[in-house]
Amino acid sequence: MKIGIVCYPTFGGSGVVATELGKALAKEGHQIHFITYRQPTRLDFFSENLFYHEVDIKSYPLFEHAPYELALASKMVNVVKYEQLDLLHVHYAIPHASAAYMAKQILKERGIYIPVVTTLHGTDITLVGKDPSYEPVVTFSINQSDGVTAVSEDLRKATVEHFEIKRDIRVIPNFIDLERFKKQKKEHFKLAICPHGEKLIVHTSNFRKVKRVEDVIRVFYEVRKQIPAKLLLVGDGPERDKMERLCRDLGTCDDIRFLGKLEAVEEVLSVADLFMMPSEKESFGLAALEAMACEVPILTSNAGGIPELNIDGQTGFVCNVGDITTMTTKALEILKDENLPGFKERALKRAKEFDVTNILPLYESYYRETIESTKFYFEKI
Ligand code: GMT
């Protein structure tokens, strides 16, 4: 198949999923055309089946905000037409699904029917999408897509609850390339961070408010009172300054390190003993799956789709959002020498269920179904 993938090219989870999906599809022999405003972060090598089309955003003194959606729709029209694509797969509804709708209408006028699959990732529904400033367009463009997928059952339910949806939504969970995350013990790295055999806790996120990084630090502070431990915080974002101040106020600076944005997050994860994700909202929790793929147990909140990934008492523990006391107790339980190996083993076993080799065929068959179900329109044009 020839597939156009539209996504955000940044570090965010939806962009990572879209890029990894495109790479995996290309390996299977499909021709993949990425359409974004910048080269996706993880698309930094040559493959005969991978193409990148940059959206040109023209600015003009009159525009306070250049109309990205129009430039994107125009680019989609041209790429679909000249590359003869079979399907467009857009990741994150805003503004990709509505731009795809516009492109589809323009192409229809020109005698081409392009099926559109929209993948909902989370905040495009739970935070931004349901805001009255976007809701009518999000509802319309979900209903107008030829196929819609959500990354968890919880997100599917939230979409049906918040919007007037007149179509089925298929749940296709996020995935991981286990080959990339295969355990690569960097003992020298562990020794540098934990010279006295301390337990290592890791958190990675974009440091937005919904991630509740403060809970990570407060739980660590309590754990640290009971056992020797270190905390690594990977990522960057709006909450970082506040979190650095909190560490200073708590007097924990010696045991906490802020590493900023890291490309090779698997190197840090490979030496971790516990991963924390206390988010307020999380449709899936890709970062937690990455940790599990590195054989790291996870301590999470019960937000959104996280409980579909984290099996309470098996791969880690699931606690109520903001319940720092229970999180501390559970962290200590996981970190006990006699418990840790079992948690690690079960975390890895669970991650294997989400290996790309299991999830890719779900997308491929959904594409085929969608193309098949729109054949009627092809014939009508
Ligand atoms: O976090 C966001 O604001 C958006 C989005 C992104 O691009 O990172 O994250 C969402 O998509 C990920 C990939 O499907 C999911 O793993 C995250 O759980 C989800 N984030 C939220 O729901 C907060």
Side-chain angles (χ1 to χ4, degrees):
M1 280 179 268
K2 286 186 174 183
I3 299 155
I5 292 187
V6 179
C7 63
Y8 284 106
T10 46
F11 272 96
S14 64
V16 169
V17 170
T19 313
E20 294 299 334
L21 176 63
K23 282 157 65 175
L25 286 163
K27 257 194 203 163
E28 287 300 303
H30 301 288
Q31 202 182 87
I32 305 301
H33 293 262
F34 283 95
I35 305 171
T36 70
Y37 58 84
R38 204 188 309 135
Q39 179 99 0
T41 315
R42 292 194 183 178
L43 200 72
D44 52 359
F45 60 94
F46 172 78
S47 155
E48 55 181 356
N49 287 334
L50 287 173
F51 300 83
Y52 164 59
H53 307 268
E54 190 159 302
V55 179
D56 322 297
I57 315 163
K58 288 276 170 292
S59 66
Y60 182 68
L62 186 64
F63 303 151
E64 200 173 316
H65 308 285
Y68 176 63
E69 199 172 337
L70 302 189
L72 174 62
S74 297
K75 185 56 97 178
M76 285 191 218
V77 167
N78 289 334
V79 176
V80 169
K81 188 172 170 200
Y82 296 118
E83 304 291 348
Q84 300 180 334
L85 300 189
D86 298 308
L87 182 131
L88 273 176
H89 185 179
V90 302
H91 289 259
Y92 207 86
I94 305 167
H96 301 148
S98 46
Y101 172 76
M102 199 188 302
K104 189 161 90 172
Q105 297 312 308
I106 296 166
L107 285 158
K108 245 193 224 171
E109 290 272 299
R110 299 177 185 188
I112 296 168
Y113 191 91
I114 184 76
V116 172
V117 169
T118 298
T119 289
L120 308 171
H121 278 273
T123 44
D124 45 354
I125 296 298
T126 55
L127 208 68
V128 199
K130 70 178 186 194
D131 189 277
S133 53
Y134 293 115
E135 182 278 322
V137 177
V138 173
T139 306
F140 178 79
S141 42
I142 291 175
N143 283 326
Q144 292 296 324
S145 298
D146 300 289
V148 180
T149 75
V151 298
S152 63
E153 176 56 25
D154 184 83
L155 183 60
R156 188 197 67 75
K157 278 200 196 128
T159 310
V160 177
E161 258 165 43
H162 295 310
F163 303 86
E164 259 186 60
I165 300 300
K166 299 185 188 123
R167 47 156 314 109
D168 286 343
I169 297 176
R170 178 80 53 93
V171 175
I172 303 185
N174 285 336
F175 55 87
I176 191 109
D177 179 359
L178 271 161
E179 266 309 299
R180 175 181 166 207
F181 285 87
K182 218 163 50 188
K183 195 119 179 111
Q184 35 167 299
K185 271 257 179 235
K186 304 253 173 194
E187 286 306 341
H188 60 286
F189 183 47
K190 174 97 182 207
L191 209 61
I193 307 161
C194 304
H196 308 293
E198 297 92 333
K199 292 287 190 288
L200 182 60
I201 301 177
V202 173
H203 167 79
T204 72
S205 78
N206 49 26
F207 281 60
R208 290 190 207 141
K209 249 189 159 37
V210 286
K211 304 294 176 183
R212 296 186 69 100
V213 185
E214 181 168 344
D215 291 0
V216 177
I217 295 170
R218 292 202 181 276
V219 169
F220 174 75
Y221 176 68
E222 295 302 325
V223 167
R224 180 69 193 81
K225 284 182 189 165
Q226 313 265 344
I227 57 168
K230 298 277 181 184
L231 173 64
L232 291 182
L233 294 165
V234 183
D236 211 336
E239 290 282 284
R240 171 142 173 203
D241 280 354
K242 209 170 136 196
M243 295 306 113
E244 289 192 7
R245 250 179 287 133
L246 177 65
C247 292
R248 283 195 290 274
D249 292 347
L250 293 172
T252 51
C253 294
D254 286 349
D255 294 322
I256 300 183
R257 278 184 71 171
F258 289 79
L259 298 183
K261 286 180 185 164
L262 273 188
E263 248 304 322
V265 69
E266 62 273 20
E267 290 185 0
V268 174
L269 291 172
S270 73
V271 290
D273 297 301
L274 176 65
F275 181 85
M276 280 193 66
M277 179 178 268
S279 309
E280 187 153 344
K281 287 188 193 306
E282 203 70 64
S283 65
F284 181 86
L286 187 64
L289 175 58
E290 291 182 345
M292 290 160 87
C294 290
E295 228 178 318
V296 183
I298 58 175
L299 178 63
T300 66
S301 70
N302 56 355
I306 306 178
E308 293 170 48
L309 175 68
N310 188 9
I311 306 170
D312 193 40
Q314 297 290 312
T315 53
F317 286 105
V318 180
C319 306
N320 290 334
V321 174
D323 185 352
I324 287 165
T325 312
T326 309
M327 284 184 195
T328 305
T329 310
K330 299 295 184 187
L332 289 164
E333 190 160 340
I334 295 172
L335 292 172
K336 275 188 191 150
D337 286 335
E338 63 272 30
N339 293 344
L340 200 49
F343 276 107
K344 283 186 175 218
E345 195 184 307
R346 292 187 295 271
L348 177 61
K349 192 168 167 232
R350 177 80 176 138
K352 284 181 180 164
E353 293 173 36
F354 296 88
D355 186 44
V356 62
T357 52
N358 295 327
I359 308 299
L360 191 69
L362 305 182
Y363 274 114
E364 286 176 296
S365 62
Y366 194 59
Y367 291 160
R368 279 193 211 98
E369 266 176 55
T370 307
I371 292 171
E372 196 56 40
S373 69
T374 53
K375 279 253 161 77
F376 165 77
Y377 299 108
F378 277 110
E379 283 152 17
K380 254 183 103 182
I381 286 176

